[in-house]
Amino acid sequence: MSFTPPLATLRRDGNAVVILDQTGLPWRVVERRLTTLEDVLEAIVAMRVRGAPLIGVAAAHGLALALERDASDAALEAAIARLLATRPTAVNLRLALEAQRTVLAPLPPSERPVAAWREAERQRRDDAARCEAIGRAGLPWIETLARRLGRPVRVLTHCNAGWVATCGAGTALSPIYLAHAAGIALEVFVSETRPRNQGLITHWELTQAGVPATLIADDAAGLLIAQGDIDLVLVGADRIARNGDVANKIGTYLKALAAHAHGVPFLVAAPATTFDPACPDGAAIPIEERAADEVLTVAGLPPGANGPVPVRLTPLPARVRNPAFDLTPARWITAILTETGAWPAPLAAAKLFPESDR
Ligand SMILES: CSC[C@H]1O[C@H](OP(=O)(O)O)[C@H](O)[C@@H]1O
């Protein structure tokens, strides 16, 4: 039993990288060809590629593009620094670039471009394998609930942690796809995830795969949890600290709080590349602040338009805060699903990094 994503989120085409441009979703399925480091930087900052694992793999490919032009030591470090600065919270980006540096730095510049492409491809395949294993780690949780409840399992998810956000089946959605393939009846509640509305991508993914999905406004999640309409909350992560605290899309914290208050299991799904043993706890995780425009506008498809356009929500000048992530304490997390299994949050980092200093 497995799930094959219907499209590639990122692929190499000669000396270019072709991405599924997520800014068109869920209205338009459009690919974009990236041929320079600048193209990749723009794609990550503008969230044409997004999702913690995919950002890392995109950065690894961006480095290969950069080295095609200049593979000197200085250019290697400059490109890594520029890619690292694109998005601060998802640690996958740093790990992907550090893995590239480990491979590339000992090589003479002439050998670096080929090696960089090879390492980028290794990371792409590796992410797909990790997603599949996360699905297998999460499936028993859904199977058990289905058996116990004897009716469709109602899962709440937030943001987009599906195939669109990775190079494989996704993280949080991977167990859902496997459960659906196994014939387990599910209903997935998807919060829209303002300001960027990544929930719309999740709703699109699930609907395309034939998984029953119900879109809700972000603030509806508390009521559904409180009145017993949710059996399981399942979300992704952008960085997980050594103690199991989780940084994920803004809005995750409130869902975890409600789940904790009402005894609903709260699972986080993430590969080892999302763990940061250098962060002792959530307070050490940098939280990305994004542009005010994301709050002041909403993207939609007016009749006759070629693609989504931003519509301004208020004519008034407005002070805005736009933190893109929040921190969920380990004590509210029932388990973290990783490629090595399901672990209590405080133990997860220890299981993945037994050698690290803690
Ligand atoms: C599969 S990880 C998905 C993760 O990435 C999202 O962040 P963003 O849309 O800002 O890249 C979000 O926090 C998801 O859980």
Side-chain angles (χ1 to χ4, degrees):
M1 211 176 1
S2 66
F3 170 80
T4 307
L7 297 167
T9 48
L10 178 150
R11 62 191 164 85
R12 181 183 176 186
D13 182 17
N15 278 355
V17 179
V18 178
I19 58 160
L20 172 63
D21 185 346
Q22 298 189 37
T23 60
L25 297 175
W27 304 276
R28 292 275 190 274
V29 176
V30 185
E31 287 190 332
R32 191 175 178 96
R33 202 176 167 78
L34 313 177
T35 58
T36 63
L37 171 65
E38 283 67 28
D39 288 347
V40 175
L41 296 169
E42 191 277 340
I44 297 174
V45 170
M47 294 174 72
R48 300 184 191 284
V49 279
R50 50 146 292 282
L54 187 56
I55 292 170
V57 176
H61 283 76
L63 195 60
L65 285 175
L67 297 186
E68 286 288 352
R69 300 203 167 183
D70 182 350
S72 64
D73 287 356
L76 173 66
E77 287 309 318
I80 288 175
R82 292 181 72 192
L83 286 160
L84 264 180
T86 51
R87 297 202 64 195
T89 301
V91 74
N92 311 60
L93 180 66
R94 195 184 79 211
L95 295 187
L97 292 168
E98 281 173 357
Q100 278 282 30
R101 184 192 277 124
T102 301
V103 170
L104 300 171
L107 299 177
S110 61
E111 291 177 21
R112 286 177 179 165
V114 168
W117 284 114
R118 198 184 311 121
E119 170 60 15
E121 173 62 9
R122 185 199 65 75
Q123 292 186 18
R124 192 187 67 76
R125 287 172 185 271
D126 179 64
D127 182 55
R130 290 176 195 267
C131 288
E132 202 180 318
I134 289 170
R136 287 196 298 273
L139 178 60
W141 292 75
I142 299 175
E143 280 173 337
T144 303
L145 277 170
R147 255 195 315 274
R148 191 191 308 151
L149 297 168
R151 57 159 173 75
V153 181
R154 299 163 306 182
V155 182
L156 171 68
T157 192
H158 185 58
C159 195
N160 173 259
W163 66 261
V164 169
T166 68
C167 300
T171 55
L173 296 195
S174 183
I176 290 173
Y177 287 130
L178 286 192
H180 179 67
I184 296 173
L186 294 156
E187 179 173 9
V188 183
F189 290 85
V190 182
S191 45
E192 58 184 348
T193 318
R194 275 283 290 155
R196 296 284 303 209
N197 283 341
Q198 290 97 323
L200 300 177
I201 299 178
T202 297
H203 181 261
W204 174 79
E205 267 196 36
L206 292 169
T207 304
Q208 290 223 324
V211 180
T214 300
L215 198 59
I216 59 169
D218 290 320
D219 292 338
L223 177 77
L224 295 188
I225 290 171
Q227 65 188 23
D229 289 344
I230 301 296
D231 305 311
L232 175 70
V233 184
L234 183 43
V235 299
D238 296 84
R239 194 185 299 214
I240 303 177
R242 215 161 58 198
N243 73 339
D245 290 350
V246 165
N248 193 49
K249 183 53 53 191
I250 194 80
T252 304
Y253 171 89
L254 285 177
K255 288 169 181 68
L257 178 62
H260 176 70
H262 295 281
V264 173
F266 186 95
L267 300 182
V268 172
T273 50
T274 302
F275 284 73
D276 186 359
C279 281
D281 55 32
I285 299 177
I287 300 293
E288 177 180 10
E289 287 267 351
R290 292 188 58 87
D293 263 3
E294 293 185 347
V295 175
L296 294 172
T297 61
V298 66
L301 192 69
N306 245 345
V309 293
V311 174
R312 190 160 167 111
L313 292 172
T314 172
L316 302 174
R319 269 199 305 273
V320 168
R321 283 287 310 271
N322 187 15
F325 301 96
D326 58 28
L327 296 164
T328 296
R331 66 182 182 282
W332 294 348
I333 297 168
T334 312
I336 300 184
L337 309 175
T338 75
E339 58 272 50
T340 65
W343 306 107
L347 280 184
K351 293 289 177 190
L352 285 167
F353 305 104
E355 77 292 349
S356 70
D357 174 31
R358 61 182 60 83

